[in-house]
Amino acid sequence: MKRQAKILTALMVASVSFGAYGCAPKEVVPPVAAGQAEKVEGVEISVASFELTRLVFVDGDKDVYRMRNDEEVAVLTLKIRNTSDTNKTYKSLHAAAGTERVQICTLPDATKEAPNYGRIFYNPIKADSAKASRPVNQVVGDVDLAPGEVITDVYLFEKPPTDKELVAIVPAKIVGASGKLTLSTGELKKVDPPAPASINEPVTVDGIAITVTKVSTEYPELAPRTKPAKPLKYAYAYTSTPVMAVHVNVKNTTNAAVAYEPGHDKDASPVSLVTTTGESIKRANVNTSTATGKDQVQLTKTLEAGDSIDDVFYFSVPSDNVTVDFSLAGKIVNVFGLYEYRLDYEKTTPARPDLEPYKNAGNDEANGDEADDAEKGDDADKAEE
Protein backbone atom coordinates (compact mmCIF):
# COMPACT_ATOMS: atom_id res chain seq x y z
CA MET A 1 0.00 0.00 0.00
CA LYS A 2 2.89 2.34 0.71
CA ARG A 3 4.22 2.92 -2.77
CA GLN A 4 7.99 3.23 -3.10
CA ALA A 5 7.97 3.68 -6.87
CA LYS A 6 6.73 6.75 -8.66
CA ILE A 7 2.96 6.59 -8.97
CA LEU A 8 2.38 9.64 -11.11
CA THR A 9 2.81 9.94 -14.86
CA ALA A 10 3.16 13.21 -16.72
CA LEU A 11 1.11 13.67 -19.88
CA MET A 12 3.67 15.27 -22.14
CA VAL A 13 2.00 18.50 -23.15
CA ALA A 14 3.92 21.00 -21.04
CA SER A 15 5.47 24.28 -22.18
CA VAL A 16 3.75 24.33 -25.55
CA SER A 17 2.33 27.33 -27.29
CA PHE A 18 -1.23 28.41 -26.83
CA GLY A 19 -1.75 28.17 -30.59
CA ALA A 20 -0.72 24.51 -30.57
CA TYR A 21 -3.93 23.83 -28.67
CA GLY A 22 -5.98 25.49 -31.37
CA CYS A 23 -7.01 28.40 -29.14
CA ALA A 24 -7.76 31.57 -31.08
CA PRO A 25 -6.84 35.13 -29.93
CA LYS A 26 -10.49 35.74 -28.98
CA GLU A 27 -9.77 33.65 -25.85
CA VAL A 28 -7.33 36.26 -24.59
CA VAL A 29 -9.82 37.73 -22.14
CA PRO A 30 -9.56 38.36 -18.41
CA PRO A 31 -10.31 35.11 -16.59
CA VAL A 32 -13.15 34.84 -14.12
CA ALA A 33 -11.78 35.58 -10.66
CA ALA A 34 -10.99 32.62 -8.39
CA GLY A 35 -14.00 31.63 -6.36
CA GLN A 36 -16.42 33.25 -8.79
CA ALA A 37 -18.48 31.13 -11.15
CA GLU A 38 -18.97 31.20 -14.88
CA LYS A 39 -22.37 29.99 -16.00
CA VAL A 40 -23.06 27.84 -19.03
CA GLU A 41 -26.21 25.87 -19.94
CA GLY A 42 -27.69 26.41 -16.48
CA VAL A 43 -24.59 25.15 -14.67
CA GLU A 44 -22.14 27.25 -12.64
CA ILE A 45 -18.46 26.25 -12.76
CA SER A 46 -15.86 27.79 -10.46
CA VAL A 47 -12.41 27.10 -9.00
CA ALA A 48 -12.89 25.92 -5.43
CA SER A 49 -9.16 25.66 -4.64
CA PHE A 50 -5.70 25.34 -6.15
CA GLU A 51 -3.33 23.47 -3.84
CA LEU A 52 0.11 21.91 -3.79
CA THR A 53 -0.14 18.75 -1.72
CA ARG A 54 0.31 14.98 -1.44
CA LEU A 55 -2.93 13.22 -2.25
CA VAL A 56 -4.52 10.00 -1.07
CA PHE A 57 -5.09 7.54 -3.92
CA VAL A 58 -7.26 4.47 -4.27
CA ASP A 59 -6.45 1.71 -6.73
CA GLY A 60 -8.51 -0.90 -8.53
CA ASP A 61 -8.28 -3.24 -5.55
CA LYS A 62 -9.63 -0.48 -3.26
CA ASP A 63 -6.26 -0.20 -1.52
CA VAL A 64 -5.69 3.36 -0.36
CA TYR A 65 -2.28 5.00 -0.06
CA ARG A 66 -0.72 8.43 0.17
CA MET A 67 1.86 9.80 -2.23
CA ARG A 68 5.49 9.85 -1.16
CA ASN A 69 7.06 12.98 0.31
CA ASP A 70 8.67 13.89 -3.01
CA GLU A 71 5.47 13.56 -5.04
CA GLU A 72 3.64 16.83 -4.47
CA VAL A 73 1.23 17.81 -7.22
CA ALA A 74 -0.87 20.85 -8.01
CA VAL A 75 -4.51 20.00 -7.43
CA LEU A 76 -7.16 22.08 -9.18
CA THR A 77 -10.56 21.56 -7.57
CA LEU A 78 -13.56 22.58 -9.65
CA LYS A 79 -17.01 23.15 -8.19
CA ILE A 80 -20.00 22.39 -10.39
CA ARG A 81 -23.47 23.56 -9.40
CA ASN A 82 -26.71 22.87 -11.29
CA THR A 83 -28.66 26.15 -11.07
CA SER A 84 -31.35 25.09 -13.54
CA ASP A 85 -34.67 23.37 -12.87
CA THR A 86 -33.75 20.25 -14.87
CA ASN A 87 -31.19 17.50 -14.46
CA LYS A 88 -27.74 18.13 -15.92
CA THR A 89 -24.87 15.75 -16.66
CA TYR A 90 -21.30 16.38 -15.54
CA LYS A 91 -18.76 14.63 -17.75
CA SER A 92 -15.37 14.18 -16.08
CA LEU A 93 -12.50 14.74 -18.50
CA HIS A 94 -9.73 12.83 -16.74
CA ALA A 95 -9.16 10.47 -19.66
CA ALA A 96 -9.18 13.22 -22.30
CA ALA A 97 -6.08 14.72 -23.91
CA GLY A 98 -4.95 18.03 -25.42
CA THR A 99 -7.66 20.64 -25.82
CA GLU A 100 -10.29 18.08 -24.81
CA ARG A 101 -9.24 18.13 -21.18
CA VAL A 102 -8.96 20.70 -18.40
CA GLN A 103 -5.68 22.66 -18.70
CA ILE A 104 -3.76 25.26 -16.71
CA CYS A 105 -1.45 27.89 -18.18
CA THR A 106 0.04 31.30 -17.51
CA LEU A 107 -1.77 34.54 -18.31
CA PRO A 108 -1.20 36.00 -21.79
CA ASP A 109 1.62 38.51 -22.22
CA ALA A 110 0.44 41.56 -24.16
CA THR A 111 3.97 42.10 -25.45
CA LYS A 112 4.00 38.72 -27.17
CA GLU A 113 2.52 37.97 -30.55
CA ALA A 114 -0.53 35.88 -31.38
CA PRO A 115 -1.48 33.10 -31.38
CA ASN A 116 0.28 32.00 -28.18
CA TYR A 117 0.79 35.38 -26.44
CA GLY A 118 3.63 33.82 -24.49
CA ARG A 119 1.42 31.43 -22.53
CA ILE A 120 3.04 28.38 -20.96
CA PHE A 121 1.07 25.24 -20.16
CA TYR A 122 1.86 22.81 -17.35
CA ASN A 123 1.73 19.04 -17.54
CA PRO A 124 -1.47 17.36 -16.49
CA ILE A 125 -0.57 14.17 -14.62
CA LYS A 126 -2.34 11.01 -13.65
CA ALA A 127 -1.82 8.13 -11.29
CA ASP A 128 -0.65 4.64 -12.19
CA SER A 129 -3.12 3.51 -14.85
CA ALA A 130 -1.86 -0.08 -14.61
CA LYS A 131 -3.29 -0.23 -11.10
CA ALA A 132 -6.37 1.82 -12.03
CA SER A 133 -5.38 4.39 -9.41
CA ARG A 134 -7.11 7.71 -8.84
CA PRO A 135 -7.42 10.31 -6.08
CA VAL A 136 -10.10 9.24 -3.63
CA ASN A 137 -12.02 12.47 -4.24
CA GLN A 138 -11.89 12.32 -8.03
CA VAL A 139 -15.12 11.79 -9.97
CA VAL A 140 -15.35 8.65 -12.09
CA GLY A 141 -17.38 8.76 -15.30
CA ASP A 142 -20.51 10.87 -15.81
CA VAL A 143 -22.64 12.17 -12.96
CA ASP A 144 -26.28 13.30 -13.18
CA LEU A 145 -26.88 16.48 -11.19
CA ALA A 146 -30.35 17.21 -9.87
CA PRO A 147 -31.51 20.85 -9.72
CA GLY A 148 -29.48 22.63 -7.02
CA GLU A 149 -27.00 19.76 -6.64
CA VAL A 150 -23.29 20.58 -6.22
CA ILE A 151 -20.25 18.37 -6.74
CA THR A 152 -16.49 18.94 -6.79
CA ASP A 153 -13.85 17.22 -8.90
CA VAL A 154 -10.04 17.34 -8.92
CA TYR A 155 -7.57 17.65 -11.80
CA LEU A 156 -3.86 17.09 -11.24
CA PHE A 157 -0.89 18.99 -12.68
CA GLU A 158 2.85 19.20 -12.30
CA LYS A 159 4.10 21.79 -9.84
CA PRO A 160 4.08 25.25 -11.48
CA PRO A 161 6.00 28.31 -10.27
CA THR A 162 4.23 29.69 -7.22
CA ASP A 163 4.78 33.33 -8.19
CA LYS A 164 2.75 33.28 -11.40
CA GLU A 165 -0.97 33.84 -11.75
CA LEU A 166 -2.45 30.97 -13.69
CA VAL A 167 -5.59 30.30 -15.68
CA ALA A 168 -7.67 27.14 -15.87
CA ILE A 169 -9.14 26.46 -19.32
CA VAL A 170 -12.23 24.28 -18.95
CA PRO A 171 -13.98 22.83 -22.02
CA ALA A 172 -17.69 23.59 -21.72
CA LYS A 173 -18.45 20.08 -22.91
CA ILE A 174 -17.82 19.16 -19.29
CA VAL A 175 -21.52 19.99 -18.90
CA GLY A 176 -22.63 19.26 -22.46
CA ALA A 177 -22.08 22.74 -23.92
CA SER A 178 -19.66 24.15 -26.50
CA GLY A 179 -16.75 26.57 -26.15
CA LYS A 180 -14.32 27.06 -23.28
CA LEU A 181 -14.34 28.72 -19.86
CA THR A 182 -11.35 30.66 -18.56
CA LEU A 183 -11.08 30.76 -14.77
CA SER A 184 -8.35 32.19 -12.58
CA THR A 185 -6.86 29.47 -10.40
CA GLY A 186 -6.08 31.91 -7.61
CA GLU A 187 -3.01 31.54 -5.42
CA LEU A 188 -1.32 28.15 -5.33
CA LYS A 189 -1.41 27.21 -1.65
CA LYS A 190 0.80 24.54 -0.12
CA VAL A 191 -1.31 22.20 2.01
CA ASP A 192 0.38 19.57 4.16
CA PRO A 193 -1.49 16.30 4.76
CA PRO A 194 -2.99 15.92 8.24
CA ALA A 195 -0.54 14.76 10.88
CA PRO A 196 -0.75 11.02 11.59
CA ALA A 197 -2.42 9.99 14.82
CA SER A 198 -0.52 8.79 17.87
CA ILE A 199 -1.19 5.78 20.07
CA ASN A 200 -4.64 5.89 21.74
CA GLU A 201 -5.70 8.67 19.33
CA PRO A 202 -8.62 7.56 17.12
CA VAL A 203 -8.83 8.25 13.40
CA THR A 204 -12.40 8.42 12.07
CA VAL A 205 -13.41 8.01 8.42
CA ASP A 206 -17.13 8.13 7.54
CA GLY A 207 -18.08 7.27 11.10
CA ILE A 208 -15.71 4.30 11.53
CA ALA A 209 -13.09 4.99 14.21
CA ILE A 210 -9.87 2.99 14.48
CA THR A 211 -7.49 3.47 17.42
CA VAL A 212 -4.05 1.94 17.93
CA THR A 213 -4.06 0.86 21.57
CA LYS A 214 -0.69 -0.90 22.00
CA VAL A 215 2.56 -1.67 20.19
CA SER A 216 4.60 -4.53 21.60
CA THR A 217 6.84 -7.53 20.99
CA GLU A 218 5.13 -10.83 21.76
CA TYR A 219 4.67 -14.49 20.96
CA PRO A 220 1.14 -14.66 19.47
CA GLU A 221 -1.09 -17.33 20.91
CA LEU A 222 -2.69 -19.60 18.31
CA ALA A 223 -6.14 -21.16 18.27
CA PRO A 224 -7.26 -24.29 16.38
CA ARG A 225 -9.16 -23.67 13.16
CA THR A 226 -11.51 -26.51 14.09
CA LYS A 227 -13.29 -25.86 17.36
CA PRO A 228 -12.48 -28.60 19.89
CA ALA A 229 -15.24 -30.75 21.37
CA LYS A 230 -14.62 -29.21 24.78
CA PRO A 231 -12.74 -26.07 25.88
CA LEU A 232 -8.99 -26.48 26.23
CA LYS A 233 -7.50 -25.92 29.66
CA TYR A 234 -4.28 -24.50 28.21
CA ALA A 235 -3.12 -22.54 25.23
CA TYR A 236 -3.35 -24.52 21.98
CA ALA A 237 0.00 -23.22 20.68
CA TYR A 238 2.22 -20.16 20.21
CA THR A 239 4.44 -18.98 17.43
CA SER A 240 8.02 -20.17 17.66
CA THR A 241 9.43 -16.66 17.23
CA PRO A 242 8.23 -13.28 18.51
CA VAL A 243 6.61 -10.64 16.30
CA MET A 244 5.89 -6.94 16.48
CA ALA A 245 2.21 -6.54 17.37
CA VAL A 246 0.08 -3.49 16.62
CA HIS A 247 -3.17 -3.73 18.58
CA VAL A 248 -6.19 -1.77 17.37
CA ASN A 249 -9.78 -1.09 18.35
CA VAL A 250 -12.38 -0.64 15.61
CA LYS A 251 -15.62 1.14 16.50
CA ASN A 252 -18.70 1.69 14.36
CA THR A 253 -20.15 5.08 15.34
CA THR A 254 -22.65 5.12 12.46
CA ASN A 255 -26.30 4.03 12.59
CA ALA A 256 -25.80 1.15 10.15
CA ALA A 257 -23.95 -2.15 10.17
CA VAL A 258 -20.46 -2.32 8.63
CA ALA A 259 -18.32 -5.24 7.54
CA TYR A 260 -14.79 -5.39 9.00
CA GLU A 261 -12.34 -7.50 6.96
CA PRO A 262 -8.70 -7.15 8.10
CA GLY A 263 -7.30 -9.75 5.71
CA HIS A 264 -5.02 -11.57 8.13
CA ASP A 265 -5.19 -14.71 5.97
CA LYS A 266 -4.38 -12.98 2.67
CA ASP A 267 -1.05 -12.44 0.95
CA ALA A 268 -2.05 -8.96 -0.21
CA SER A 269 -3.74 -6.79 2.37
CA PRO A 270 -4.46 -3.08 2.87
CA VAL A 271 -1.95 -2.68 5.70
CA SER A 272 1.42 -0.92 5.68
CA LEU A 273 4.19 -0.43 8.23
CA VAL A 274 7.15 1.72 7.17
CA THR A 275 9.90 3.25 9.26
CA THR A 276 10.29 7.01 9.12
CA THR A 277 13.51 6.37 7.20
CA GLY A 278 11.55 4.58 4.46
CA GLU A 279 12.17 0.90 5.30
CA SER A 280 9.14 -1.36 4.83
CA ILE A 281 8.46 -3.88 7.59
CA LYS A 282 7.05 -7.18 6.40
CA ARG A 283 3.64 -8.36 7.56
CA ALA A 284 3.83 -11.57 9.63
CA ASN A 285 1.22 -14.21 8.85
CA VAL A 286 0.87 -16.45 11.92
CA ASN A 287 -1.95 -18.53 10.44
CA THR A 288 -1.37 -22.13 9.39
CA SER A 289 -3.56 -24.81 7.85
CA THR A 290 -4.69 -25.87 11.34
CA ALA A 291 -4.29 -22.75 13.48
CA THR A 292 -5.02 -19.02 13.47
CA GLY A 293 -3.95 -16.07 15.57
CA LYS A 294 -6.17 -16.28 18.65
CA ASP A 295 -6.41 -12.50 19.11
CA GLN A 296 -6.96 -11.77 15.43
CA VAL A 297 -10.33 -11.27 13.74
CA GLN A 298 -10.64 -13.96 11.10
CA LEU A 299 -12.44 -13.52 7.77
CA THR A 300 -15.19 -10.89 8.04
CA LYS A 301 -16.88 -9.57 11.17
CA THR A 302 -20.11 -7.54 11.03
CA LEU A 303 -20.14 -4.57 13.40
CA GLU A 304 -23.63 -3.36 14.17
CA ALA A 305 -24.26 0.31 14.94
CA GLY A 306 -22.31 1.21 18.08
CA ASP A 307 -20.31 -2.04 18.15
CA SER A 308 -16.55 -2.17 18.61
CA ILE A 309 -13.98 -4.93 18.32
CA ASP A 310 -10.31 -5.44 19.21
CA ASP A 311 -7.83 -6.81 16.68
CA VAL A 312 -4.07 -7.07 16.19
CA PHE A 313 -1.73 -6.90 13.20
CA TYR A 314 1.58 -8.75 13.28
CA PHE A 315 4.87 -7.75 11.65
CA SER A 316 8.49 -8.89 11.60
CA VAL A 317 10.46 -7.57 14.58
CA PRO A 318 12.60 -4.54 13.66
CA SER A 319 16.30 -4.73 14.48
CA ASP A 320 16.11 -1.90 17.02
CA ASN A 321 13.86 0.74 18.54
CA VAL A 322 12.20 2.63 15.72
CA THR A 323 9.48 5.13 14.83
CA VAL A 324 7.06 3.76 12.23
CA ASP A 325 4.23 4.97 10.04
CA PHE A 326 1.33 2.52 10.25
CA SER A 327 -1.55 2.84 7.80
CA LEU A 328 -4.75 0.98 7.04
CA ALA A 329 -6.74 1.31 3.84
CA GLY A 330 -10.37 2.19 4.50
CA LYS A 331 -11.52 -0.79 2.45
CA ILE A 332 -11.16 -3.00 5.54
CA VAL A 333 -14.30 -1.24 6.81
CA ASN A 334 -15.73 -0.41 3.36
CA VAL A 335 -14.89 3.30 3.31
CA PHE A 336 -12.73 5.36 0.93
CA GLY A 337 -10.11 6.86 3.17
CA LEU A 338 -6.80 6.25 4.88
CA TYR A 339 -6.09 5.59 8.55
CA GLU A 340 -2.60 6.90 9.35
CA TYR A 341 -0.58 6.65 12.58
CA ARG A 342 2.96 7.44 13.71
CA LEU A 343 4.08 5.06 16.44
CA ASP A 344 7.16 4.59 18.60
CA TYR A 345 8.27 0.98 18.90
CA GLU A 346 10.55 -0.06 21.76
CA LYS A 347 12.10 -3.45 21.11
CA THR A 348 11.91 -5.90 23.99
CA THR A 349 12.72 -9.57 24.53
CA PRO A 350 9.59 -11.30 25.84
CA ALA A 351 9.86 -14.53 27.81
CA ARG A 352 9.22 -17.65 25.77
CA PRO A 353 5.77 -19.11 26.45
CA ASP A 354 5.38 -22.54 28.00
CA LEU A 355 4.62 -24.74 25.00
CA GLU A 356 3.79 -27.79 27.12
CA PRO A 357 1.96 -26.48 30.20
CA TYR A 358 0.11 -29.73 30.77
CA LYS A 359 3.38 -31.46 31.70
CA ASN A 360 3.69 -29.19 34.71
CA ALA A 361 0.02 -29.26 35.70
CA GLY A 362 0.63 -31.75 38.51
CA ASN A 363 -2.55 -33.78 38.14
CA ASP A 364 -3.69 -36.78 36.13
CA GLU A 365 -6.86 -35.09 34.93
CA ALA A 366 -4.92 -32.33 33.19
CA ASN A 367 -2.55 -34.87 31.66
CA GLY A 368 -5.46 -36.93 30.41
CA ASP A 369 -7.36 -34.03 28.93
CA GLU A 370 -4.40 -32.33 27.35
CA ALA A 371 -2.06 -35.15 26.42
CA ASP A 372 -2.70 -34.62 22.71
CA ASP A 373 -1.58 -30.99 23.03
CA ALA A 374 1.98 -32.17 22.53
CA GLU A 375 1.10 -32.67 18.88
CA LYS A 376 -0.91 -29.45 18.68
CA GLY A 377 2.06 -27.49 19.94
CA ASP A 378 3.82 -28.27 16.65
CA ASP A 379 1.77 -25.45 15.10
CA ALA A 380 4.14 -23.05 16.78
CA ASP A 381 6.88 -24.22 14.43
CA LYS A 382 4.63 -23.94 11.38
CA ALA A 383 3.67 -20.29 11.90
CA GLU A 384 5.15 -18.34 9.02
CA GLU A 385 6.33 -14.76 8.98
Side-chain angles (χ1 to χ4, degrees):
M1 199 175 64
K2 190 82 171 183
R3 306 303 161 94
Q4 297 304 313
K6 288 286 185 181
I7 62 171
L8 299 176
T9 303
L11 306 179
M12 300 306 294
V13 295
S15 302
V16 300
S17 71
F18 197 61
Y21 279 74
C23 299
K26 66 180 181 180
E27 293 201 34
V28 182
V29 294
V32 174
Q36 295 187 14
E38 187 164 352
K39 194 169 185 177
V40 57
E41 297 290 337
V43 179
E44 288 183 350
I45 301 176
S46 61
V47 172
S49 63
F50 189 42
E51 299 175 342
L52 186 68
T53 190
R54 292 189 298 115
L55 289 179
V56 173
F57 282 79
V58 59
D59 66 18
D61 293 327
K62 295 185 179 179
D63 281 336
V64 181
Y65 55 96
R66 189 178 295 282
M67 296 162 54
R68 301 188 322 181
N69 289 338
D70 61 348
E71 291 179 328
E72 289 182 326
V73 297
V75 183
L76 178 74
T77 302
L78 296 180
K79 182 166 70 174
I80 301 93
R81 181 193 301 272
N82 181 3
T83 59
S84 73
D85 56 3
T86 61
N87 283 5
K88 298 290 183 178
T89 299
Y90 167 74
K91 299 178 179 294
S92 64
L93 303 179
H94 304 297
T99 59
E100 300 300 306
R101 63 166 290 121
V102 175
Q103 307 160 73
I104 62 170
C105 62
T106 57
L107 287 169
D109 184 344
T111 66
K112 306 295 184 181
E113 295 183 357
N116 59 34
Y117 296 97
R119 293 184 193 249
I120 298 175
F121 285 78
Y122 296 95
N123 283 338
I125 56 180
K126 61 181 180 180
D128 186 350
S129 58
K131 295 184 177 293
S133 297
R134 65 175 177 83
V136 294
N137 54 342
Q138 191 172 73
V139 173
V140 177
D142 298 347
V143 178
D144 287 331
L145 300 179
E149 188 173 358
V150 179
I151 63 168
T152 59
D153 199 4
V154 296
Y155 291 83
L156 313 184
F157 299 88
E158 67 177 352
K159 179 181 177 179
T162 56
D163 60 346
K164 291 184 179 294
E165 183 177 358
L166 301 180
V167 174
I169 300 176
V170 182
K173 74 173 187 177
I174 206 168
V175 290
S178 59
K180 294 181 182 293
L181 312 178
T182 56
L183 310 170
S184 172
T185 62
E187 179 186 358
L188 179 62
K189 298 179 179 179
K190 182 176 173 60
V191 177
D192 292 325
S198 301
I199 195 164
N200 293 320
E201 183 180 355
V203 177
T204 303
V205 178
D206 292 344
I208 310 301
I210 300 180
T211 306
V212 175
T213 57
K214 184 174 69 171
V215 181
S216 61
T217 307
E218 58 191 61
Y219 287 88
E221 183 178 346
L222 305 180
R225 284 189 181 272
T226 302
K227 188 175 181 180
K230 56 182 179 179
L232 300 177
K233 288 184 172 64
Y234 308 105
Y236 177 78
Y238 293 89
T239 60
S240 58
T241 56
V243 300
M244 175 183 176
V246 179
H247 293 260
V248 302
N249 175 267
V250 183
K251 184 173 184 178
N252 179 11
T253 68
T254 72
N255 57 8
V258 65
Y260 171 59
E261 186 179 3
H264 296 304
D265 237 355
K266 298 179 179 178
D267 291 334
S269 60
V271 180
S272 173
L273 191 70
V274 181
T275 69
T276 52
T277 58
E279 178 187 357
S280 293
I281 299 177
K282 184 180 177 182
R283 183 93 173 264
N285 181 8
V286 305
N287 295 331
T288 70
S289 60
T290 58
T292 62
K294 182 179 179 181
D295 295 330
Q296 289 185 316
V297 175
Q298 302 299 323
L299 302 177
T300 302
K301 175 71 174 179
T302 298
L303 299 181
E304 300 294 340
D307 282 355
S308 65
I309 193 169
D310 293 323
D311 199 3
V312 58
F313 295 89
Y314 296 131
F315 299 88
S316 298
V317 176
S319 58
D320 204 346
N321 298 342
V322 68
T323 298
V324 295
D325 288 325
F326 175 60
S327 59
L328 300 168
K331 81 172 188 177
I332 67 173
V333 284
N334 202 32
V335 300
F336 277 148
L338 188 63
Y339 294 85
E340 296 176 288
Y341 310 83
R342 177 156 292 183
L343 309 169
D344 292 324
Y345 168 72
E346 183 176 348
K347 186 175 181 179
T348 60
T349 304
R352 283 186 59 85
D354 184 358
L355 300 180
E356 298 179 319
Y358 49 87
K359 289 186 176 181
N360 302 314
N363 62 78
D364 293 338
E365 179 184 358
N367 289 333
D369 287 346
E370 301 299 332
D372 60 347
D373 269 8
E375 296 180 1
K376 295 174 184 176
D378 290 342
D379 279 312
D381 297 324
K382 299 175 188 175
E384 298 178 357
E385 291 189 12

